[in-house]
């Protein structure tokens, strides 16, 4: 490698290093607030704590309500139930709908695809009043099942489009060969298509889980019982009208982020293939 090429690579690496430092700086600030003994917001440029303590994590994890119940445990369970159920319901409905839209021709197919795309133009908060009214008539307000219903419904359009794009890339010859061997349409779908679609399924499942795990506004509006709060809603109690408990808020934010980061690491080998192939439209 000649001298200009080495200089160019050095400049690229230096630029990438600066970019990584700028990206990680806010994260280091959150870690600093979580590990610092004070609850205030230190106005210093240093992103590293002078004194390390895990007291904020202990207070967040061991908090109890007036009845002595472990609040964080109940809220963690609520988040896991809501996110897991949303993922299962959304993925089950999306995978069947996406396969039908990819492989079959029927009246209203194009209009249905456009309608799904149009729904992505409007945020869920725009439908807050009708959602609240519907759940109230169904007696699902302040319930985890009602929240799962709302989350699964709002996540479906993206999930269907992503899976449909991936199914379009799968060769039909594999399915035709399975049919010639005597497999039914259902068997082809279960034994041939779904195993090949694992990257797209991983991306779609992760998106559904993240949508439910991180959502705040709908959960804060539809849930009233603190024991049913999901973790993002639970973090709100550290932000008061006159005071913000920055240490506990930062510690809670890191705890809430941990499961999503773990899922990213677990599914990372599927993510690139699923996202790139899902972007191809047939």
């Amino acid at each position: 490698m000649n001298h200009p090429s080495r200089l160019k690579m050095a400049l690229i690496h230096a630029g990438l290093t600066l970019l990584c430092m700028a990206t990680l700086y806010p994260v280091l600030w959150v870690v600093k607030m979580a590990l610092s003994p004070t609850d205030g917001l230190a106005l210093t440029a240093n992103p590293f704590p002078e004194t390390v303590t895990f007291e904020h994590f202990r207070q967040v994890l061991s908090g109890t309500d007036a009845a002595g119940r472990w609040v964080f445990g109940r809220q963690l369970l609520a988040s896991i139930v809501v996110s897991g159920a949303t993922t299962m319901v959304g993925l089950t409905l999306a995978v069947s709908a996406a396969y039908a839209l990819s492989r079959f021709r029927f009246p209203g197919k194009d209009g249905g695809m456009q309608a799904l795309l149009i729904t992505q133009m409007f945020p869920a908060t725009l439908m807050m009043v009708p959602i609240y009214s519907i759940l109230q008539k169904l007696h699902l307000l302040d319930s985890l099942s009602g929240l799962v219903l709302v989350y699964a419904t709002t996540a479906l359009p993206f999930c269907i489009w992503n899976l449909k794009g991936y199914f379009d890339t799968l060769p039909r010859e594999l399915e035709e060969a399975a049919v010639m061997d005597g497999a039914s349409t259902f068997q082809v779908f279960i034994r041939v298509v779904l195993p090949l679609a694992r990257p797209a399924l991983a991306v779609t499942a992760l998106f559904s889980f993240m949508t439910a795990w991180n959502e705040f506004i709908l959960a804060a509006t539809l849930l009233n019982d603190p024991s049913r709060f999901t973790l993002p809603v639970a973090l709100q109690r550290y932000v008061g009208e006159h005071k913000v408990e920055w240490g506990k808020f930062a510690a809670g934010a890191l705890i809430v982020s941990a499961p999503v980061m773990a899922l990213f690491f677990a599914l990372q080998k599927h993510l690139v293939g699923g996202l790139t192939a899902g972007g191809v439209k047939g």
Side-chain angles (χ1 to χ4, degrees), residues 77-87 144-145 147-148 151 212-213 223 228 230:
L77 179 62
S79 287
I80 293 174
V81 169
V82 169
S83 302
T86 299
T87 303
L144 299 183
S145 56
L147 199 60
V148 169
Y151 285 169
W213 187 267
L223 298 177
R228 294 192 180 100
T230 55

Side-chain angles (χ1 to χ4, degrees), residues 60 71-80 212-213 215-216 219 228-238 252 255-257 259:
V60 171
V71 178
F72 180 84
R74 298 173 70 91
Q75 293 167 345
L76 175 62
L77 179 62
S79 287
I80 293 174
W213 187 267
E215 203 281 326
F216 169 77
R228 294 192 180 100
F229 283 172
T230 55
L231 290 178
V233 180
L235 290 179
Q236 185 188 25
R237 73 177 185 270
Y238 298 120
I255 294 171
V256 171
S257 303

Side-chain angles (χ1 to χ4, degrees), residues 172-257:
R172 295 175 181 264
E173 290 78 8
L174 295 175
E175 300 170 51
E176 294 170 355
V179 171
M180 293 182 63
D181 289 338
S184 63
T185 303
F186 181 75
Q187 290 174 325
V188 169
F189 178 63
I190 296 296
R191 298 182 180 180
V192 177
V193 176
L194 288 187
L196 293 174
R198 279 181 295 183
L201 294 176
V203 172
T204 306
L206 182 60
F207 171 81
S208 298
F209 187 90
M210 288 178 55
T211 300
W213 187 267
N214 296 324
E215 203 281 326
F216 169 77
I217 296 178
L218 288 172
T221 304
L222 302 176
L223 298 177
N224 297 316
D225 186 354
S227 65
R228 294 192 180 100
F229 283 172
T230 55
L231 290 178
V233 180
L235 290 179
Q236 185 188 25
R237 73 177 185 270
Y238 298 120
V239 181
E241 185 177 355
H242 304 291
K243 179 184 177 182
V244 178
E245 299 178 90
W246 289 108
K248 298 183 184 67
F249 187 85
L254 292 176
I255 294 171
V256 171
S257 303

Side-chain angles (χ1 to χ4, degrees), residues 10 34 47 58 61 64 80 106 160-161 166 174 180 209 269 276:
R58 188 194 66 79
L61 293 173
T64 58
I80 293 174
F106 50 87
I160 292 175
W161 266 95
Y166 192 88
L174 295 175
M180 293 182 63
F209 187 90
K269 66 179 181 179
T276 54

